[in-house]
Amino acid sequence: MNNAEIEQISREIETAFLGRRFGKVFPLSKSSMAIDFYPHNAVYLFVDFDPKNRKTYLIRRRLKVLERSAVHSSPFVIRMRKLLSGRELGAVLNDQDAKVLRLELAPSDQPDELLSLVIQLGGQTPNICIIDSRQNIVAAARDAKDGAVGQKYIVPVEADRADEKIRDLNRRSLSDVLDDESRSSNAENYFQSLAAAARKKINGEIAKQRKLIKNLEGDLAAHGNADDWKRYGDLILANISNIRRDGHSFIVTDFFDPEQPEIAIRIDRNDSPSEAATGFFKRYAKARNGAAAIAKRLETVGKDIEKLDIQKAKLEAAIAAADEDAVSEFLPVKQPEALAGKRKDRADGFKGARKFISSDGLEILVGKKAKDNDFLTFRIAKSLDLWLHAADYPGSHVVVRNPTRKEIPTRTLIEAAQLAAFYSDARDTPKAAVNYTQKKFINKPRRSAPGLVSLSGFKTILVEPSVPTASRS
């Protein structure tokens, strides 16, 4: 802000707050705050003394918005409230050519007990401080060398202001123009940070998959050529009667070559011909099987990278269109840290459940004892998790975790039901009925025994009791 703009802002402050009492202070960051004056009129004085963003003007905000945006009060903010609360604004002074505003405040019944709130936007170190009638600093947001508490306040010297101009306001207040610019800048900065985070996430996933391809290719190279290992094993056996040892090699006739030259096959020093041949055949089998498995894995990873490339193109299109909602979809929804930590600790520390992973990759928890069943159902499970129990038989509570909050796949439902039937007294029956519902429909009757619940709604599935292909976690 230049001096011409600060002069305009001083007149707007005077019009809005003159004769009003200093009220609440809302710290919005380490260097910015909003100050209310009573009687309240939904207008606040905004101050930012960050060296890169120094400015002050009036803002219009809802009280609840400021309360939600406020951060912890600094010692200076606490001191400012104590010194200035209830004081009446008597004058707004602008120190010419210094980019400094002084708000003179005094108790309404003792006008001589003057304190001034000094908003210093000029100089090398912008600051906000409180000075008394003798110009001594009694409190300061930033304890600078030339503005420490207890020292005389010295007005900073600014450069010549000959070229300063106030912008075209188009019949608007300067405060409204500055606030709109600030909001627009903040929104743009937020969007760019959102876009950068989304790019980082998807680029990280692509890099992870490419690294996996590199590792798989390294594993494939380490296996060697399967055909070579088989060929060496066959040649050793074909030359078993006339094979010669030369240090770490066997000298054999290469019957696979039309000219049948002698070649050296490198071996472990103490291997006999039959041991060496067996070793080559094992390496052949391992290389052949490994190559097949790695090829399949490479195909899967390649498809995953293609999908990620498509997602990246969609992200770049959303960024180009400045679509904040679309960009946000590429980032995980953050759970409040305290709640997330509490949930994690509770689940990780619980030892009263068997853990399985379904064919669809979902976690299935099976309670062990009656008290474990209660804890699993009412302390671990969330409202949209799937809950199962063998119908008409005592048994374990079974919970399918549903972190995506989507419908549980049918295959996972069947596998969880098989586990519920197997870990119940219906284990030895050919078929067993299993009740299932979402956890939110499960209730605990008062004074009921551990493990006993009531269901407000459920469905039933008929399955064979077993531990299915779902893998033990």
Side-chain angles (χ1 to χ4, degrees):
M1 294 180 69
N2 59 40
N3 278 288
E5 291 174 332
I6 291 174
E7 283 182 9
Q8 176 64 26
I9 291 297
S10 70
R11 291 193 290 270
E12 293 180 10
I13 294 173
E14 191 173 61
T15 301
F17 300 134
L18 195 64
R20 294 178 182 268
R21 300 187 312 278
F22 191 96
K24 291 184 176 180
V25 182
F26 301 91
L28 303 177
S29 70
K30 290 181 179 180
S31 66
S32 65
M33 64 186 72
I35 302 172
D36 192 14
F37 286 82
Y38 296 136
H40 178 67
N41 62 353
V43 178
Y44 302 85
L45 174 61
F46 174 80
V47 182
D48 191 342
F49 52 93
D50 184 280
K52 296 181 180 179
N53 202 33
R54 52 183 89 185
K55 55 192 173 184
T56 184
Y57 50 85
L58 305 183
I59 61 173
R60 300 178 186 275
R61 298 286 190 276
R62 292 178 60 187
L63 178 61
K64 289 184 178 179
V65 172
L66 286 179
E67 289 175 338
R68 286 197 299 266
S69 303
V71 299
H72 291 297
S73 297
S74 66
F76 171 71
V77 169
I78 296 171
R79 178 78 169 150
M80 180 167 55
R81 289 185 184 130
K82 183 177 181 180
L83 290 173
L84 302 182
S85 288
R87 286 175 171 263
E88 187 176 292
L89 180 61
V92 181
L93 307 177
N94 176 25
D95 287 327
Q96 293 293 321
D97 303 328
K99 294 186 179 179
V100 171
L101 285 177
R102 297 176 186 244
L103 280 64
E104 294 188 346
L105 298 137
S108 56
D109 56 343
Q110 295 174 301
D112 293 336
E113 291 189 14
L114 185 69
L115 290 177
S116 296
L117 180 66
V118 177
I119 303 171
Q120 176 184 307
L121 302 179
Q124 291 185 344
T125 309
N127 204 353
I128 178 169
C129 57
I130 300 169
I131 62 175
D132 61 20
S133 56
R134 295 183 298 277
Q135 304 302 302
N136 293 322
I137 300 173
V138 296
R142 182 178 281 122
D143 196 9
K145 291 182 180 179
D146 57 350
V149 173
Q151 294 181 351
K152 288 283 185 180
Y153 178 70
I154 301 173
V155 179
V157 178
E158 282 290 304
D160 180 56
R161 58 181 293 188
D163 296 331
E164 290 182 358
K165 295 180 181 179
I166 193 165
R167 67 191 75 193
D168 181 11
L169 302 179
N170 194 23
R171 297 184 180 181
R172 302 173 66 202
S173 71
L174 179 57
S175 289
D176 287 344
V177 172
L178 292 174
D179 193 24
D180 286 349
E181 289 178 355
S182 179
R183 285 188 171 195
S184 177
S185 176
N186 291 341
E188 176 62 21
N189 290 339
Y190 174 75
F191 179 77
Q192 292 302 327
S193 66
L194 203 67
R199 281 192 178 114
K200 181 178 179 181
K201 179 177 180 293
I202 200 163
N203 286 336
E205 291 174 354
I206 291 174
K208 183 179 179 181
Q209 295 301 314
R210 295 196 185 283
K211 184 177 180 181
L212 179 55
I213 286 180
K214 186 176 180 180
N215 291 339
L216 288 170
E217 290 174 343
D219 291 343
L220 186 61
H223 282 307
N225 188 304
D227 291 338
D228 285 345
W229 305 139
K230 185 176 185 303
R231 179 167 169 264
Y232 293 156
D234 288 339
L235 287 175
I236 290 173
L237 293 181
N239 287 269
I240 197 74
S241 61
N242 58 353
I243 197 167
R244 303 195 315 274
R245 185 187 295 270
D246 182 10
H248 291 289
S249 301
F250 280 145
I251 306 301
V252 299
T253 301
D254 187 356
F255 296 113
F256 294 102
D257 189 322
E259 297 182 3
Q260 297 188 3
E262 285 191 336
I263 62 171
I265 300 176
R266 191 168 181 80
I267 60 167
D268 289 338
R269 184 167 189 173
N270 296 321
D271 277 356
S272 66
S274 60
E275 289 174 337
T278 300
F280 281 123
F281 289 135
K282 286 182 179 179
R283 293 176 74 176
Y284 159 70
K286 186 176 180 180
R288 180 193 60 191
N289 297 336
I294 291 173
K296 186 175 181 180
R297 189 78 179 96
L298 284 170
E299 181 181 1
T300 301
V301 176
K303 290 179 180 178
D304 289 342
I305 290 178
E306 289 178 4
K307 292 177 182 177
L308 287 170
D309 286 337
I310 293 172
Q311 290 299 307
K312 184 177 180 179
K314 289 181 179 178
L315 171 61
E316 293 302 329
I319 293 173
D323 190 338
E324 184 175 316
D325 291 338
V327 173
S328 298
E329 291 179 0
F330 289 88
L331 295 171
V333 177
K334 290 187 177 179
Q335 200 178 33
E337 289 186 8
L339 179 60
K342 186 176 179 182
R343 292 275 190 188
K344 186 177 185 298
D345 292 344
R346 182 187 295 174
D348 288 351
F350 180 51
K351 305 298 184 183
R354 304 171 183 87
K355 297 182 181 181
F356 299 84
I357 302 297
S358 77
S359 298
D360 301 299
L362 296 178
E363 185 178 41
I364 303 174
L365 302 177
V366 181
K368 294 180 180 179
K369 300 178 182 178
K371 289 184 178 180
D372 297 332
N373 285 336
D374 272 0
F375 194 90
L376 173 61
T377 298
F378 297 107
R379 300 290 295 278
I380 300 295
K382 298 181 182 179
S383 61
L384 296 183
D385 288 350
L386 186 67
W387 184 93
L388 306 95
H389 190 277
D392 304 321
Y393 286 95
S396 296
H397 293 194
V398 176
V399 170
V400 180
R401 307 300 293 273
N402 187 13
T404 62
R405 303 168 68 88
K406 296 180 181 179
E407 185 176 354
I408 300 296
T410 301
R411 181 169 54 179
T412 293
L413 167 62
I414 293 173
E415 291 173 352
Q418 289 174 324
L419 288 168
F422 183 82
Y423 289 103
S424 75
D425 287 357
R427 176 185 298 189
D428 297 327
T429 62
K431 294 283 185 178
V434 175
N435 297 331
Y436 66 95
T437 186
Q438 290 179 318
K439 184 266 174 183
K440 63 182 179 181
F441 298 116
I442 309 298
N443 299 294
K444 181 71 176 174
R446 293 185 63 185
R447 299 190 180 90
S448 61
L452 183 64
V453 298
S454 63
L455 284 63
S456 58
F458 63 91
K459 296 180 180 179
T460 302
I461 185 173
L462 196 65
V463 295
E464 178 184 353
S466 68
V467 177
T469 55
S471 60
R472 192 73 176 262
S473 174

